[in-house]
Amino acid sequence: MATFCTHPLRAAAAAAATVLLLSRGSESRLGDRQLTGSHGQSQSLHGFQYYASSTIYGDTPMTSCGSLDTRELVRGTEYFAVASAQAMQADFDTEAHGGGCSWECQTASGTKIDRCTYEHPAGTLSNSFPIAGCSCRQVGACMCGKAGPGTGTASGTAPMGCFTCGRGHFLQRNPYQLDSQDGYQLNGKEIKVVVADVCPYGPNTKWCPAVPGEQNIAGALNHFDFATTPDVKYDNNFFVFTPEVCSDELLRRMRNATSCPASTWPGAAVER
């Protein structure tokens, strides 16, 4: 059974959202075998530039990228709509749509801290738990994010804000069998993704890194939350990918549907 993330707009509306909606265990550091962006072993990345963990959150008619409908956006195309981690789109317009995207965390005793950390059994991310009962909440609407400073191959955090696309491949590896000898083999066929939403750190402290260069508890610098379940044997499998320009049809659909200002569009998309 796959693990799910909290949607940013539902989290903002709830105001008190705290941690992931988890149906099973969570994450841990990957140790010496971890892959972090372009710094991973080339044979494990299979020629792609970046490495990510993944979850599924379900289609939504209103995303952070200007209220896009994830199902309608990709209908009839080869793309999967995804939310990218806050670190991958950390530049948010503080004047638009409720302003900015940050977080507040505290321990169970009420002590304020900057981040949550987790403990877990060796070799698996199942049954992990936040140290000191830590929980966080989202601050700001987290709307219309774009890739900010610090993203790119140097940090290993991919520049994947709203309206960006990529192609990639799932691996056999998943967070619940980290020591599997078959983990770095490819799983299914190559797919394309389009960023239509954000996975903010506040309500998703385990999976979604907050700033470029920061790993999640799964040891990944990047994270994609899929709106629909990919057609593979899926159990929160890790994903290798390379950013690329979206198709003309997808760009047209996003321009016609989004309420985000033109300033939030990535340069490659604006030029086409």
Side-chain angles (χ1 to χ4, degrees), residues 95-264:
E95 302 298 325
H97 298 287
C101 186
S102 58
W103 60 89
E104 293 178 348
C105 304
Q106 65 179 28
T107 65
S109 64
T111 302
K112 293 187 180 301
I113 57 177
D114 187 50
R115 300 282 203 284
C116 290
T117 54
Y118 292 80
E119 291 187 355
H120 58 85
T124 180
L125 307 188
S126 297
N127 302 318
S128 63
F129 60 90
I131 295 174
C134 176
S135 63
C136 304
R137 72 179 186 92
Q138 177 181 319
V139 178
C142 299
M143 294 284 288
C144 306
K146 61 181 180 180
T151 57
T153 54
S155 68
T157 299
M160 294 288 285
C162 288
F163 321 119
T164 58
C165 292
R167 58 179 179 83
H169 219 131
F170 283 103
L171 300 176
Q172 295 286 350
R173 196 171 204 231
N174 68 58
Y176 315 113
Q177 297 175 318
L178 292 175
D179 296 330
S180 170
Q181 296 301 308
D182 298 326
Y184 295 106
Q185 295 180 14
L186 294 175
N187 179 16
K189 63 181 181 180
E190 183 176 295
I191 64 172
K192 292 192 175 187
V193 297
V194 55
V195 176
D197 213 342
V198 67
C199 183
Y201 176 79
N204 299 293
T205 57
K206 292 183 178 181
W207 290 112
C208 297
V211 297
E214 191 169 280
Q215 297 179 9
N216 61 16
I217 305 304
L221 293 161
N222 303 283
H223 183 80
F224 285 132
D225 199 7
F226 281 73
T228 55
T229 305
D231 187 20
V232 298
K233 184 178 180 181
Y234 184 79
D235 197 8
N236 296 114
N237 296 68
F238 293 99
F239 186 72
V240 289
F241 68 99
T242 296
E244 67 177 19
V245 176
C246 302
S247 71
D248 289 331
E249 172 61 19
L250 207 57
L251 291 173
R252 182 190 66 78
R253 293 184 185 187
M254 290 188 288
R255 287 197 187 97
N256 289 342
T258 186
S259 62
C260 289
S263 60
T264 63

Side-chain angles (χ1 to χ4, degrees), residues 6-13 57-74 80-84 89 92 96-97 138 140-145 161-164 194-200 225-228 253-255 257-261 264-265:
T6 300
H7 184 271
L9 297 186
R10 289 197 291 269
Y57 74 109
D59 278 306
T60 175
M62 186 170 292
T63 73
S64 70
C65 295
S67 302
L68 299 177
D69 183 318
T70 56
R71 181 178 286 109
E72 292 303 316
L73 175 62
V74 300
F80 287 83
V82 298
S84 63
Q89 52 167 303
F92 295 89
H97 298 287
Q138 177 181 319
C142 299
M143 294 284 288
C144 306
C162 288
F163 321 119
T164 58
V194 55
V195 176
D197 213 342
V198 67
C199 183
D225 199 7
F226 281 73
T228 55
R253 293 184 185 187
M254 290 188 288
R255 287 197 187 97
T258 186
S259 62
C260 289
T264 63
W265 281 78

